Amino acid sequence: MNPQPSIQMPGQWSTVAPTVDWMFYFIYWLSVVMFVGIVATAMYFVVKYRRRPGVKAEPTGHNNTLEIGWTVAPVVFLVFLFHFGFKGWMELRVPPGDALVIRVRAKKWLWDFEYPNGMHSVTDLHVPVHRAVRVVLSSDDVLHSFFVPAFRIKQDAVPGYYQTAWFEAVHTGRVDLFCAEYCGTGHSAMHGNVIIQTQAAFDRFLAEGAGPRQGETPELWGRRVAQDTQCLTCHTIDGTPSVGPSWRGLWDRTENLADGTTAHVDENYLRESILLPGAKVVRGFAPVMPTFQGTLQDRQIDALIAYIRSLH
Ligand code: CUA
């Protein structure tokens, strides 16, 4: 299994990748051979049977050997393709019984990963290497699609329905994770990484939880939370309004709300806006922010508030 990408394919980072690639290249080269063969034959006939003065077109009878030949030969290929295609599909659909289960919730516009110990991470999915992982996918709003090219898996996340996919990573490192279903303004920002770690490093990641790093101030931790949680997809920190109000100068301001009332931006207003984004919508902005209830812990919300306060 080669972790280096080729000109056509990303690197092979999962157990199923070589099977998928083998099938892909088989169909690819079969198509090349068929294309060249058919076009060459057509060109040959065009020349051989072109209209010439004095030569009259005459219908010929049919050729049983030829007709049976060109019927049976493709059938053999199709049965072969079906057999290996179905086998590969079953491998992709049926996870091993002892797979580690990670709950994945997609929403506009982030990925929220929940690990077996209840810990969450946003944007980046951490997994142990050489261990089957089953992701249980759902969406909180519209269709999204969980796509990890290096694992050769793609599965839609559907509102109100669970979908599953599984993989076993074979190298440690970092590969791309995309949303592969257009889901609105922030679709292109629904991009993260799968971080494949040794079992020991993965256990450490789970144990440390989502706390601050050694010596990190609440403001700096808050900035990291904002980046990891994709807040900055919709909120700028330079004063320019985007999908939502900018955080620059937000603190201590009095906002005009969509319902005609006003609100003073303090700790309680920010906390409520993170957990219940629809409660106090600022005039001029659409009520599109997802809730972070259950995604962010109280201490992370404190850190975010400290960061927004520092952008005064
Ligand atoms: Cu989520 Cu595109």
Side-chain angles (χ1 to χ4, degrees):
M1 269 166 267
N2 186 358
Q4 294 306 319
S6 71
I7 197 162
Q8 282 176 312
M9 288 291 207
Q12 300 174 327
W13 286 69
S14 72
T15 49
V16 296
T19 320
V20 173
D21 290 8
W22 188 90
M23 199 69 190
F24 172 81
Y25 283 114
F26 183 82
I27 295 174
Y28 175 80
W29 285 111
L30 185 66
S31 308
V32 169
V33 169
M34 296 295 285
F35 175 78
V36 171
I38 290 169
V39 171
T41 310
M43 298 306 284
Y44 172 72
F45 285 163
V46 163
V47 175
K48 184 173 160 75
Y49 297 109
R50 70 187 184 281
R51 194 165 72 149
R52 276 172 294 185
V55 182
K56 215 163 161 277
E58 276 178 45
T60 51
H62 69 158
N63 185 324
N64 279 332
T65 318
L66 202 56
E67 286 174 17
I68 290 169
W70 75 44
T71 307
V72 172
V75 166
V76 172
F77 275 108
L78 290 178
V79 168
F80 178 82
L81 288 179
F82 174 79
H83 173 75
F84 281 94
F86 187 68
K87 200 161 162 266
W89 184 79
M90 289 300 283
E91 273 171 35
L92 282 167
R93 291 311 307 167
V94 184
D98 60 351
L100 176 77
V101 177
I102 297 179
R103 183 77 176 83
V104 181
R105 296 181 183 88
K107 56 184 157 186
K108 296 194 286 185
W109 289 285
L110 56 88
W111 297 103
D112 173 8
F113 305 105
E114 187 181 292
Y115 300 89
N117 67 349
M119 209 199 100
H120 285 258
S121 73
V122 174
T123 305
D124 287 341
L125 167 64
H126 292 248
V127 297
V129 71
H130 300 308
R131 171 99 191 261
V133 175
R134 185 164 77 98
V135 290
V136 179
L137 292 157
S138 69
S139 166
D140 287 0
D141 36 49
V142 298
L143 284 179
H144 301 272
S145 186
F146 180 88
F147 181 33
V148 186
F151 292 163
R152 309 292 188 271
I153 60 165
K154 177 156 76 175
Q155 181 64 59
D156 279 4
V158 181
Y161 191 71
Y162 298 112
Q163 298 276 13
T164 66
W166 82 277
F167 55 84
E168 181 178 331
V170 291
H171 309 284
T172 55
R174 181 182 277 265
V175 295
D176 287 311
L177 159 68
F178 298 102
C179 175
E181 183 76 60
Y182 182 69
C183 52
T185 313
H187 164 67
S188 60
M190 267 185 90
H191 170 225
N193 288 289
V194 182
I195 297 166
I196 306 149
Q197 302 171 301
T198 59
Q199 185 69 48
F202 179 71
D203 291 341
R204 208 157 46 237
F205 161 76
L206 286 188
E208 275 172 5
R213 292 187 183 141
Q214 191 83 35
E216 203 170 37
T217 63
E219 289 81 14
L220 287 176
W221 182 27
R223 184 170 73 184
R224 199 156 56 80
V225 172
Q227 284 161 350
D228 292 349
T229 316
Q230 302 286 57
C231 305
L232 305 180
T233 306
C234 301
H235 298 280
T236 69
I237 52 167
D238 64 3
T240 328
S242 179
V243 177
S246 177
W247 288 356
R248 174 69 60 187
L250 177 63
W251 180 258
D252 208 21
R253 192 160 71 189
T254 299
E255 293 280 37
N256 292 310
L257 303 182
D259 64 6
T261 60
T262 59
H264 177 238
V265 179
D266 58 9
E267 283 91 349
N268 284 318
Y269 170 79
L270 291 176
R271 183 183 163 81
E272 182 181 42
S273 296
I274 292 167
L275 298 178
L276 297 166
K280 294 194 174 79
V281 179
V282 177
R283 190 183 300 165
F285 294 96
V288 291
M289 179 169 155
T291 173
F292 289 85
Q293 189 112 47
T295 302
L296 289 174
Q297 299 162 0
D298 278 352
R299 291 190 59 205
Q300 292 175 306
I301 294 173
D302 290 348
L304 268 181
I305 292 171
Y307 176 53
I308 293 171
R309 197 168 48 214
S310 77
L311 294 170
H312 187 38

